[in-house]
Amino acid sequence: MTKTVEISSIHERPVTEDGKSKRVDIVYFNGGGAHKGVAMALQAELQRSLPEADVRAVNTDQIFSHVSLLDWLTRAGIKLYNTGLQWETMIGLRQYIALGRGLMTLMQPAAPRLAAFWKHAAPHVVISTIPLCNGIIFAAARESNPEVRCVTIPVDFEEFHSRYWFDPALMSYYLCGTERLVQQALQNGVPESHVFSLGGMPVHPSFLAPVDTDAADALEELGLRRDLPTVLIFFGGQGSRYMVDIARRLDAAATPVNMIVICGCHRAAYEALCKWRSRKPKLIVGYTAKVAEYMRLADVMVGKPGPISIHEAIACRIPLVLMDNPSMRILFEYNIRWAEENGIAKRVRSLAEIPEAVNEILASDHYRRNVARINVDANACVAACLRQLM
């Protein structure tokens, strides 16, 4: 049976025998939005719930900069991946993953050089929110501290490619957000003692904090109408070329709505939407740290079925319209199926279907009731898991 987690002891002090705070490093990279999003969520949550620990988020750039070839390879791979997200195509992803895994194996002897990152302060726990690179990262951490606990949090709903997340040779603990991930970890040979079930994915505490403002007043302050339902268009931190077309289609539809469009890093979409004169009230936002603030004002979210976006929407208790793009199905097919099975989302296969899907969700309490039932305790579970490991 997979480990369940008691969360009653999260306020004990995580300190070493000499009284110093234990260092917890959370490793992420900027490929997509989920890896950094979960890392920032963990940092904020652990700083709150484990105040005596020294918790920091670490970009792989900081670690890999000690080996220039490895630094260049990972930066190039991340740039390629983010370009695919923005253009909504992941053709050849399986081949790129196989290539990346092979390159990481070849670079494994460089682990002692990467340990220079930790030469001034060895970590007690290293948590990774990234795939593929953990062999060399954990080896480098163990060079610095042979007793370090290595933890992996898969930021997907499933492992869609063999050995993408799970590798028993890494001797990592795995904190899994879905039952499918738990089963895949065990099937890949990870010892049961190293698999923890979170029942969800960590989100930034800002998505879980009590709401102390009136939504209608907040809408009015943003230049939107307080008497209209609000549609949030959000495709994660990288954005998408589809956002402009989606906004135009909702604007042309008969149903009166407010539109909030968060474009993230997609500058072309942001600039096009800022210049556009719509009939309906709209707010166009670039890259922002206030996603929770905007999400809480929405009655429905339209976007890609990214893992962190889905869990953030769940935390804010809003249903979703999820874009099923065949070119992105390798990443997101199970995410959509999971959301459909839990009754919190409507799948659309073309942009033309979006206005009708939005209308269906706005007209029914069914989706909102379902999303309100889903567990949002993953943050506390992570803290409890780390307490056990430390």
Side-chain angles (χ1 to χ4, degrees):
M1 181 182 297
T2 306
K3 281 180 175 283
T4 55
V5 181
E6 297 293 335
I7 63 174
S8 59
S9 61
I10 64 172
H11 294 294
E12 298 172 11
R13 293 166 61 90
V15 295
T16 60
E17 291 182 359
D18 60 6
K20 294 182 179 179
S21 298
K22 286 192 174 182
R23 166 155 286 177
V24 179
D25 281 351
I26 307 165
V27 179
Y28 70 93
F29 55 34
N30 287 317
H35 309 284
K36 183 178 180 180
V38 170
M40 297 300 111
L42 286 173
Q43 182 183 35
E45 174 60 32
L46 296 179
Q47 287 174 340
R48 182 192 68 81
S49 59
L50 304 177
E52 299 302 321
D54 179 12
V55 182
R56 62 177 182 171
V58 178
N59 193 319
T60 53
D61 291 351
Q62 299 170 257
I63 302 173
F64 292 162
S65 64
H66 295 276
V67 178
S68 57
L69 177 59
L70 181 59
D71 187 39
W72 183 87
L73 288 170
T74 53
R75 286 175 185 269
I78 289 168
K79 183 177 181 180
L80 181 66
Y81 180 78
N82 287 340
T83 300
L85 288 177
Q86 291 188 346
W87 284 94
E88 293 286 332
T89 179
M90 282 292 157
I91 296 173
L93 181 61
R94 291 187 186 278
Q95 289 74 26
Y96 288 130
I97 290 172
L99 176 61
R101 192 168 57 198
L103 289 171
M104 283 298 156
T105 300
L106 290 174
M107 296 300 299
Q108 192 71 19
R113 293 164 61 191
L114 298 183
F117 173 74
W118 284 291
K119 66 180 179 180
H120 297 300
H124 297 88
V125 179
V126 173
I127 305 171
S128 173
T129 67
I130 66 173
L132 298 177
C133 306
N134 292 328
I136 194 168
I137 290 172
F138 292 163
R142 287 173 175 135
E143 288 279 340
S144 176
N145 175 14
E147 302 301 318
V148 67
R149 295 296 184 114
C150 296
V151 180
T152 304
I153 301 184
V155 296
D156 285 311
F157 280 67
E158 68 168 356
E159 184 183 55
F160 61 86
H161 190 284
S162 177
R163 297 292 197 242
Y164 186 67
W165 286 108
F166 301 118
D167 185 349
L170 300 184
M171 295 180 290
S172 171
Y173 293 89
Y174 290 92
L175 278 52
C176 301
T178 65
E179 183 59 28
R180 185 175 179 88
L181 283 170
V182 168
Q183 295 306 316
Q184 288 179 315
L186 298 175
Q187 290 165 7
N188 276 280
V190 178
E192 190 174 353
S193 61
H194 282 52
V195 181
F196 293 79
S197 177
L198 298 179
M201 188 176 293
V203 297
H204 194 278
S206 61
F207 290 90
L208 301 168
V211 179
D212 57 3
T213 58
D214 181 77
D217 290 343
L219 287 170
E220 208 164 64
E221 289 178 9
L222 294 171
L224 304 173
R225 282 180 50 179
R226 62 190 299 132
D227 60 324
L228 295 182
T230 299
V231 180
L232 172 66
I233 303 171
F234 181 48
F235 278 72
Q238 295 301 317
S240 166
R241 63 189 178 96
Y242 289 150
M243 293 183 295
V244 176
D245 198 2
I246 291 170
R248 291 182 182 276
R249 288 176 183 273
L250 288 173
D251 190 56
T255 303
V257 295
N258 295 313
M259 293 182 290
I260 300 176
V261 188
I262 301 179
C263 299
C265 296
H266 205 297
R267 180 165 292 277
Y270 175 75
E271 292 175 352
L273 287 166
C274 286
K275 294 175 184 176
W276 170 51
R277 299 178 66 86
S278 63
R279 297 185 303 115
K280 296 174 181 175
K282 71 177 188 299
L283 174 69
I284 310 302
V285 182
Y287 191 88
T288 178
K290 297 181 178 180
V291 175
E293 179 180 316
Y294 296 121
M295 195 173 284
R296 286 176 168 178
L297 300 177
D299 297 283
V300 59
M301 188 178 97
V302 178
K304 74 173 185 181
I308 191 67
S309 298
I310 291 175
H311 281 283
E312 288 169 349
I314 291 170
C316 292
R317 302 310 193 191
I318 61 170
L320 304 118
V321 174
L322 298 176
M323 188 69 197
D324 179 9
N325 177 357
S327 297
M328 304 291 284
R329 203 165 281 164
I330 180 176
L331 286 176
F332 299 140
E333 167 58 26
Y334 183 74
N335 302 13
I336 301 177
R337 201 179 336 143
W338 183 94
E340 286 182 312
E341 290 171 354
N342 282 275
I344 66 170
K346 179 81 175 172
R347 180 197 299 250
V348 294
R349 291 183 169 85
S350 74
L351 300 181
E353 298 175 17
I354 289 176
E356 183 179 346
V358 167
N359 289 345
E360 180 180 331
I361 288 178
L362 292 177
S364 171
D365 289 334
H366 168 75
Y367 293 95
R368 191 171 288 274
R369 286 198 305 270
N370 288 337
V371 78
R373 297 190 186 107
I374 296 180
N375 167 60
V376 289
D377 290 336
N379 286 27
C381 288
V382 170
C385 287
L386 292 180
R387 177 68 60 199
Q388 292 185 24
L389 297 178
M390 293 167 69

